[in-house]
Amino acid sequence: GVFSDPLVLRWRRKNGEIIWTEQRNVPIYDAQGNLVAIEGIARDITERKRAEVALHDTLAELRRSNADLEQFAHVASHDLQEPLRMVIGFLDLLAERYRGRLDRDAEEFIGFAVDGARRMQNLINALLDYARVSTRGQERRPVDANRALEEALWNLDRAIAEAGATVTHDPLPAVLADPTQLMQLFQNLIGNAIKFRRAEPPVVHISAQPMICPETRIAMWEFQVRDNGIGIAAEDIGRIFGLFERLHTRQEYPGEGIGLAMCKKIVERHGGRIWVESVPGQGSTFHFTLPAAEQR
Ligand code: ADP
């Protein structure tokens, strides 16, 4: 016999507990074709139902917090930046007009206030960049990763020269990506590889190898950005992709702690994954996957 579609039923136990069952029925006919019985199998699917509800809630929550963030980014750009610019403008004016007429403390306090306001401006800009990964993202299209890398290296030109860094790469493939975001990805990862260097000059290498996503069977490329920098302790690896997560003070290494969160958002938006392997004191290798431009 052919099984019917499962019938999902919700039950209330005597003790008040709600359980779910899934039931499949099969009609049984005699030789003349008369229905004589219905055979059924019922299974308790309460656990699965709970997991589904939890997943649904999590997704709803995630969508809401993304929407909140985008809303915030909008507010940040239009409503927060303007008054902040005013604060900075008047502080600068104060410092300039009253130079030499205020005591040392007063001048120092103005300096702190300017630093704080500038810092807030940087944070707002960083948060805007982060939110724009989804609001300004373009459609994925075939992109030559060599081109995106070249652009990133061009933008990093000064940092590379100042650090005396050597950046090399294998020939890279074409992937399905938003070209600007692929460039940003390389720029963030290579920028970090140079920033978090040890005493010796940074050596960075970028490579890629083909792979098949085990879940979707889609042809992907796994990129690697390898450095010889300070490395990351095993216990910190889980944190670094989070928003505003940093392992150092801004005095040690400048930054807002948003670069890797952006990288993660970019890669995941393209259906890929990002992770890092590192030996503290020797270097780190950041890995990320992107869909291949041509399915093999
Ligand atoms: P930022 O660079 O502004 O600090 P990121 O989100 O780019 O923020 O990085 C988060 C943290 O991860 C950094 O503060 C640093 O501690 C660590 N990190 C990132 N890239 C590297 C790297 N290549 N080598 C060592 N540590 C790194």
Side-chain angles (χ1 to χ4, degrees):
V2 177
F3 277 93
S4 58
D5 277 346
L7 181 68
V8 175
L9 294 173
R10 181 175 173 275
W11 307 82
R12 186 191 303 276
R13 285 206 165 127
K14 282 210 189 87
N15 66 7
E17 191 191 348
I18 300 291
I19 65 159
W20 293 82
T21 60
E22 180 183 86
Q23 185 171 326
R24 286 171 193 272
N25 296 327
V26 182
I28 310 286
Y29 300 98
D30 65 12
Q32 282 72 46
N34 302 313
L35 178 68
V36 291
I38 291 178
E39 234 171 46
I41 308 167
R43 203 158 34 141
D44 186 332
I45 56 159
T46 310
E47 274 311 306
R48 196 186 81 200
K49 269 285 171 193
R50 283 205 187 114
E52 275 171 19
V53 168
L55 183 64
H56 183 269
D57 288 354
T58 309
L59 280 177
E61 167 73 17
L62 196 63
R63 270 192 213 108
R64 204 182 51 231
S65 69
N66 274 345
D68 282 353
L69 183 63
E70 268 142 37
Q71 169 96 25
F72 175 77
H74 188 78
V75 171
S77 66
H78 296 283
D79 300 357
L80 289 181
Q81 282 184 324
E82 191 45 43
L84 195 56
R85 231 173 270 144
M86 203 164 110
V87 170
I88 292 172
F90 279 101
L91 284 172
D92 281 345
L93 202 62
L94 196 64
E96 213 165 280
R97 286 265 180 90
Y98 289 82
R99 180 166 300 143
R101 282 197 275 154
L102 296 170
D103 63 21
R104 280 251 311 283
D105 274 358
E107 280 184 5
E108 202 182 26
F109 295 163
I110 292 174
F112 289 151
V114 172
D115 285 351
R118 289 248 156 79
R119 166 120 212 276
M120 203 192 278
Q121 221 168 23
N122 289 340
L123 283 171
I124 289 174
N125 287 335
L127 203 53
L128 269 174
D129 286 343
Y130 178 79
R132 279 179 187 144
V133 171
S134 48
T135 57
R136 298 267 174 93
Q138 296 168 26
E139 286 290 299
R140 304 189 314 187
R141 57 171 185 263
V143 203
D144 178 358
N146 297 289
R147 284 281 302 277
L149 176 64
E150 259 165 47
E151 267 179 62
L153 293 179
W154 174 261
N155 293 339
L156 289 166
D157 198 32
R158 241 183 81 190
I160 291 173
E162 278 172 9
T166 310
V167 184
T168 56
H169 68 95
D170 291 349
L172 299 181
V175 289
L176 272 190
D178 169 335
T180 309
Q181 293 189 348
L182 182 58
M183 182 273 287
Q184 284 177 325
L185 197 54
F186 281 129
Q187 192 173 325
N188 276 325
L189 294 178
I190 299 166
N192 278 347
I194 294 170
K195 177 160 65 170
F196 298 103
R197 63 177 175 267
R198 286 180 289 143
E200 64 228 57
V203 176
V204 187
H205 185 73
I206 301 104
S207 56
Q209 62 192 60
M211 51 105 54
I212 300 283
C213 172
E215 286 113 42
T216 61
R217 315 300 305 162
I218 290 174
M220 312 277 288
W221 285 91
E222 181 189 321
F223 290 83
Q224 302 192 359
V225 179
R226 191 179 69 224
D227 69 45
N228 62 339
I230 60 174
I232 304 160
E235 66 265 28
D236 293 325
I237 279 181
R239 279 173 46 201
I240 57 171
F241 294 99
L243 204 53
F244 297 130
E245 291 282 5
R246 315 198 64 224
L247 306 177
H248 308 275
T249 63
R250 272 177 305 113
Q251 282 68 40
E252 292 171 291
Y253 298 95
E256 308 301 338
I258 226 155
L260 288 180
M262 251 178 94
C263 290
K264 183 166 150 69
K265 201 173 176 192
I266 290 174
V267 170
E268 289 179 353
R269 188 175 166 261
H270 287 81
R273 280 200 323 121
I274 184 166
W275 69 100
V276 63
E277 283 167 348
S278 182
V279 181
Q282 284 185 29
S284 313
T285 304
F286 282 81
H287 304 247
F288 63 89
T289 58
L290 288 176
E294 275 172 44
Q295 290 302 307
R296 293 179 286 269

mmCIF file of all heavy atoms in Angstrom, residues 189 192-193 195-196 227 230-232 240 245-248 254-261 284 286, ligand 1:
data_model
loop_
_atom_site.group_PDB
_atom_site.id
_atom_site.type_symbol
_atom_site.label_atom_id
_atom_site.label_comp_id
_atom_site.label_asym_id
_atom_site.label_seq_id
_atom_site.Cartn_x
_atom_site.Cartn_y
_atom_site.Cartn_z
ATOM 1 N N LEU A 189 41.804 41.065 5.579
ATOM 2 C CA LEU A 189 42.649 39.959 6.049
ATOM 3 C C LEU A 189 44.134 40.275 5.873
ATOM 4 O O LEU A 189 44.935 40.019 6.769
ATOM 5 C CB LEU A 189 42.279 38.661 5.317
ATOM 6 C CG LEU A 189 40.880 38.119 5.618
ATOM 7 C CD1 LEU A 189 40.596 36.857 4.817
ATOM 8 C CD2 LEU A 189 40.691 37.847 7.117
ATOM 9 N N ASN A 192 45.180 42.987 8.347
ATOM 10 C CA ASN A 192 45.423 42.409 9.673
ATOM 11 C C ASN A 192 46.752 41.654 9.714
ATOM 12 O O ASN A 192 47.495 41.736 10.693
ATOM 13 C CB ASN A 192 44.297 41.444 10.053
ATOM 14 C CG ASN A 192 43.081 42.160 10.618
ATOM 15 O OD1 ASN A 192 43.140 43.339 10.958
ATOM 16 N ND2 ASN A 192 41.981 41.436 10.720
ATOM 17 N N ALA A 193 47.032 40.907 8.630
ATOM 18 C CA ALA A 193 48.272 40.121 8.584
ATOM 19 C C ALA A 193 49.482 41.047 8.740
ATOM 20 O O ALA A 193 50.498 40.669 9.326
ATOM 21 C CB ALA A 193 48.354 39.335 7.277
ATOM 22 N N LYS A 195 49.224 44.267 10.135
ATOM 23 C CA LYS A 195 49.115 44.991 11.412
ATOM 24 C C LYS A 195 49.593 44.140 12.590
ATOM 25 O O LYS A 195 50.333 44.629 13.443
ATOM 26 C CB LYS A 195 47.656 45.420 11.626
ATOM 27 C CG LYS A 195 47.417 46.116 12.943
ATOM 28 C CD LYS A 195 46.144 46.941 12.952
ATOM 29 C CE LYS A 195 44.891 46.108 12.826
ATOM 30 N NZ LYS A 195 43.673 46.922 13.080
ATOM 31 N N PHE A 196 49.169 42.875 12.620
ATOM 32 C CA PHE A 196 49.501 42.026 13.782
ATOM 33 C C PHE A 196 50.800 41.269 13.513
ATOM 34 O O PHE A 196 50.862 40.050 13.581
ATOM 35 C CB PHE A 196 48.335 41.104 14.111
ATOM 36 C CG PHE A 196 47.099 41.877 14.502
ATOM 37 C CD1 PHE A 196 46.049 42.052 13.626
ATOM 38 C CD2 PHE A 196 47.020 42.475 15.760
ATOM 39 C CE1 PHE A 196 44.922 42.801 13.974
ATOM 40 C CE2 PHE A 196 45.902 43.228 16.126
ATOM 41 C CZ PHE A 196 44.855 43.390 15.232
ATOM 42 N N ASP A 227 49.999 34.274 7.288
ATOM 43 C CA ASP A 227 50.982 35.282 7.710
ATOM 44 C C ASP A 227 51.970 34.697 8.716
ATOM 45 O O ASP A 227 51.806 33.573 9.180
ATOM 46 C CB ASP A 227 50.267 36.535 8.268
ATOM 47 C CG ASP A 227 49.555 36.287 9.589
ATOM 48 O OD1 ASP A 227 50.141 35.653 10.493
ATOM 49 O OD2 ASP A 227 48.394 36.733 9.729
ATOM 50 N N ILE A 230 51.891 37.593 14.898
ATOM 51 C CA ILE A 230 51.903 37.251 16.327
ATOM 52 C C ILE A 230 51.068 36.023 16.645
ATOM 53 O O ILE A 230 51.238 35.410 17.689
ATOM 54 C CB ILE A 230 51.405 38.432 17.198
ATOM 55 C CG1 ILE A 230 49.967 38.836 16.829
ATOM 56 C CG2 ILE A 230 52.349 39.623 17.084
ATOM 57 C CD1 ILE A 230 49.370 39.889 17.760
ATOM 58 N N GLY A 231 50.132 35.656 15.744
ATOM 59 C CA GLY A 231 49.299 34.484 16.003
ATOM 60 C C GLY A 231 48.195 34.791 17.011
ATOM 61 O O GLY A 231 48.118 35.893 17.559
ATOM 62 N N ILE A 232 47.326 33.805 17.209
ATOM 63 C CA ILE A 232 46.156 33.975 18.080
ATOM 64 C C ILE A 232 46.077 32.760 18.997
ATOM 65 O O ILE A 232 46.150 31.626 18.520
ATOM 66 C CB ILE A 232 44.864 34.077 17.238
ATOM 67 C CG1 ILE A 232 44.981 35.220 16.218
ATOM 68 C CG2 ILE A 232 43.642 34.274 18.124
ATOM 69 C CD1 ILE A 232 44.023 35.098 15.061
ATOM 70 N N ILE A 240 37.198 36.213 17.924
ATOM 71 C CA ILE A 240 37.695 37.303 17.074
ATOM 72 C C ILE A 240 36.779 37.693 15.919
ATOM 73 O O ILE A 240 36.903 38.781 15.384
ATOM 74 C CB ILE A 240 39.109 36.995 16.519
ATOM 75 C CG1 ILE A 240 39.103 35.678 15.755
ATOM 76 C CG2 ILE A 240 40.132 36.966 17.647
ATOM 77 C CD1 ILE A 240 40.407 35.440 15.011
ATOM 78 N N GLU A 245 35.008 42.767 18.885
ATOM 79 C CA GLU A 245 35.903 41.912 19.676
ATOM 80 C C GLU A 245 37.353 42.174 19.259
ATOM 81 O O GLU A 245 37.686 42.065 18.079
ATOM 82 C CB GLU A 245 35.577 40.423 19.461
ATOM 83 C CG GLU A 245 34.266 39.982 20.051
ATOM 84 C CD GLU A 245 34.324 39.772 21.561
ATOM 85 O OE1 GLU A 245 35.374 40.071 22.175
ATOM 86 O OE2 GLU A 245 33.317 39.307 22.106
ATOM 87 N N ARG A 246 38.178 42.492 20.252
ATOM 88 C CA ARG A 246 39.598 42.710 19.999
ATOM 89 C C ARG A 246 40.398 42.047 21.101
ATOM 90 O O ARG A 246 39.913 41.908 22.214
ATOM 91 C CB ARG A 246 39.946 44.204 20.007
ATOM 92 C CG ARG A 246 39.012 45.096 19.245
ATOM 93 C CD ARG A 246 39.657 46.432 18.942
ATOM 94 N NE ARG A 246 40.809 46.234 18.072
ATOM 95 C CZ ARG A 246 41.969 46.825 18.230
ATOM 96 N NH1 ARG A 246 42.167 47.629 19.246
ATOM 97 N NH2 ARG A 246 42.961 46.599 17.397
ATOM 98 N N LEU A 247 41.633 41.683 20.806
ATOM 99 C CA LEU A 247 42.458 41.028 21.813
ATOM 100 C C LEU A 247 43.491 41.991 22.383
ATOM 101 O O LEU A 247 44.230 41.653 23.287
ATOM 102 C CB LEU A 247 43.169 39.809 21.201
ATOM 103 C CG LEU A 247 42.244 38.798 20.505
ATOM 104 C CD1 LEU A 247 43.067 37.675 19.886
ATOM 105 C CD2 LEU A 247 41.224 38.238 21.488
ATOM 106 N N HIS A 248 43.533 43.207 21.826
ATOM 107 C CA HIS A 248 44.583 44.142 22.240
ATOM 108 C C HIS A 248 43.972 45.516 22.476
ATOM 109 O O HIS A 248 42.882 45.799 22.007
ATOM 110 C CB HIS A 248 45.657 44.250 21.157
ATOM 111 C CG HIS A 248 46.178 42.930 20.722
ATOM 112 N ND1 HIS A 248 47.195 42.287 21.383
ATOM 113 C CD2 HIS A 248 45.783 42.099 19.736
ATOM 114 C CE1 HIS A 248 47.420 41.130 20.800
ATOM 115 N NE2 HIS A 248 46.569 40.981 19.795
ATOM 116 N N PRO A 254 46.087 49.725 16.536
ATOM 117 C CA PRO A 254 44.874 50.502 16.291
ATOM 118 C C PRO A 254 43.783 49.638 15.662
ATOM 119 O O PRO A 254 44.083 48.593 15.075
ATOM 120 C CB PRO A 254 45.331 51.575 15.308
ATOM 121 C CG PRO A 254 46.519 50.994 14.621
ATOM 122 C CD PRO A 254 47.172 50.080 15.616
ATOM 123 N N GLY A 255 42.528 50.077 15.784
ATOM 124 C CA GLY A 255 41.439 49.339 15.145
ATOM 125 C C GLY A 255 40.174 49.397 15.973
ATOM 126 O O GLY A 255 40.206 49.769 17.149
ATOM 127 N N GLU A 256 39.063 49.045 15.329
ATOM 128 C CA GLU A 256 37.763 49.110 16.000
ATOM 129 C C GLU A 256 37.199 47.736 16.286
ATOM 130 O O GLU A 256 36.106 47.606 16.839
ATOM 131 C CB GLU A 256 36.757 49.892 15.136
ATOM 132 C CG GLU A 256 37.228 51.263 14.678
ATOM 133 C CD GLU A 256 37.569 52.186 15.836
ATOM 134 O OE1 GLU A 256 37.069 51.966 16.964
ATOM 135 O OE2 GLU A 256 38.364 53.119 15.630
ATOM 136 N N GLY A 257 37.873 46.679 15.862
ATOM 137 C CA GLY A 257 37.368 45.334 16.125
ATOM 138 C C GLY A 257 36.182 44.960 15.258
ATOM 139 O O GLY A 257 35.321 44.182 15.666
ATOM 140 N N ILE A 258 36.158 45.521 14.035
ATOM 141 C CA ILE A 258 35.006 45.255 13.181
ATOM 142 C C ILE A 258 35.396 44.505 11.905
ATOM 143 O O ILE A 258 34.562 43.909 11.228
ATOM 144 C CB ILE A 258 34.294 46.591 12.869
ATOM 145 C CG1 ILE A 258 32.794 46.405 13.052
ATOM 146 C CG2 ILE A 258 34.595 47.096 11.480
ATOM 147 C CD1 ILE A 258 32.094 47.690 13.361
ATOM 148 N N GLY A 259 36.703 44.495 11.596
ATOM 149 C CA GLY A 259 37.176 43.927 10.323
ATOM 150 C C GLY A 259 36.771 42.468 10.134
ATOM 151 O O GLY A 259 36.213 42.099 9.097
ATOM 152 N N LEU A 260 37.042 41.633 11.128
ATOM 153 C CA LEU A 260 36.745 40.205 10.962
ATOM 154 C C LEU A 260 35.249 39.932 11.015
ATOM 155 O O LEU A 260 34.759 39.020 10.354
ATOM 156 C CB LEU A 260 37.476 39.375 12.021
ATOM 157 C CG LEU A 260 38.987 39.245 11.831
ATOM 158 C CD1 LEU A 260 39.598 38.397 12.931
ATOM 159 C CD2 LEU A 260 39.322 38.658 10.464
ATOM 160 N N ALA A 261 34.509 40.734 11.782
ATOM 161 C CA ALA A 261 33.047 40.583 11.793
ATOM 162 C C ALA A 261 32.510 40.874 10.395
ATOM 163 O O ALA A 261 31.613 40.185 9.896
ATOM 164 C CB ALA A 261 32.421 41.524 12.817
ATOM 165 N N SER A 284 49.371 33.035 11.538
ATOM 166 C CA SER A 284 47.981 32.609 11.413
ATOM 167 C C SER A 284 47.685 32.353 9.949
ATOM 168 O O SER A 284 48.276 32.968 9.070
ATOM 169 C CB SER A 284 47.031 33.713 11.885
ATOM 170 O OG SER A 284 47.452 34.248 13.123
ATOM 171 N N PHE A 286 44.187 32.422 7.737
ATOM 172 C CA PHE A 286 42.739 32.588 7.638
ATOM 173 C C PHE A 286 42.267 31.851 6.397
ATOM 174 O O PHE A 286 42.876 31.980 5.327
ATOM 175 C CB PHE A 286 42.362 34.078 7.568
ATOM 176 C CG PHE A 286 42.411 34.737 8.917
ATOM 177 C CD1 PHE A 286 43.608 35.171 9.449
ATOM 178 C CD2 PHE A 286 41.249 34.887 9.673
ATOM 179 C CE1 PHE A 286 43.663 35.761 10.714
ATOM 180 C CE2 PHE A 286 41.289 35.462 10.934
ATOM 181 C CZ PHE A 286 42.502 35.898 11.464
HETATM 182 P P1 ADP B 1 40.822 45.044 14.508
HETATM 183 O O1 ADP B 1 41.816 44.693 13.445
HETATM 184 O O2 ADP B 1 40.182 46.366 14.308
HETATM 185 O O3 ADP B 1 41.327 44.839 15.891
HETATM 186 P P2 ADP B 1 39.422 42.690 13.583
HETATM 187 O O4 ADP B 1 37.975 42.323 13.711
HETATM 188 O O5 ADP B 1 39.968 42.810 12.198
HETATM 189 O O6 ADP B 1 39.593 44.014 14.378
HETATM 190 O O7 ADP B 1 40.269 41.611 14.372
HETATM 191 C C1 ADP B 1 39.879 41.206 15.680
HETATM 192 C C2 ADP B 1 41.089 40.743 16.488
HETATM 193 O O8 ADP B 1 41.572 39.499 15.952
HETATM 194 C C3 ADP B 1 42.261 41.674 16.418
HETATM 195 O O9 ADP B 1 42.154 42.708 17.377
HETATM 196 C C4 ADP B 1 43.446 40.751 16.697
HETATM 197 O O10 ADP B 1 43.578 40.566 18.082
HETATM 198 C C5 ADP B 1 43.003 39.438 16.090
HETATM 199 N N1 ADP B 1 43.585 39.234 14.745
HETATM 200 C C6 ADP B 1 42.989 39.467 13.546
HETATM 201 N N2 ADP B 1 43.794 39.157 12.505
HETATM 202 C C7 ADP B 1 44.952 38.705 13.048
HETATM 203 C C8 ADP B 1 46.185 38.205 12.499
HETATM 204 N N3 ADP B 1 46.401 38.111 11.164
HETATM 205 N N4 ADP B 1 47.146 37.810 13.389
HETATM 206 C C9 ADP B 1 46.943 37.880 14.713
HETATM 207 N N5 ADP B 1 45.815 38.348 15.286
HETATM 208 C C10 ADP B 1 44.817 38.748 14.478
#
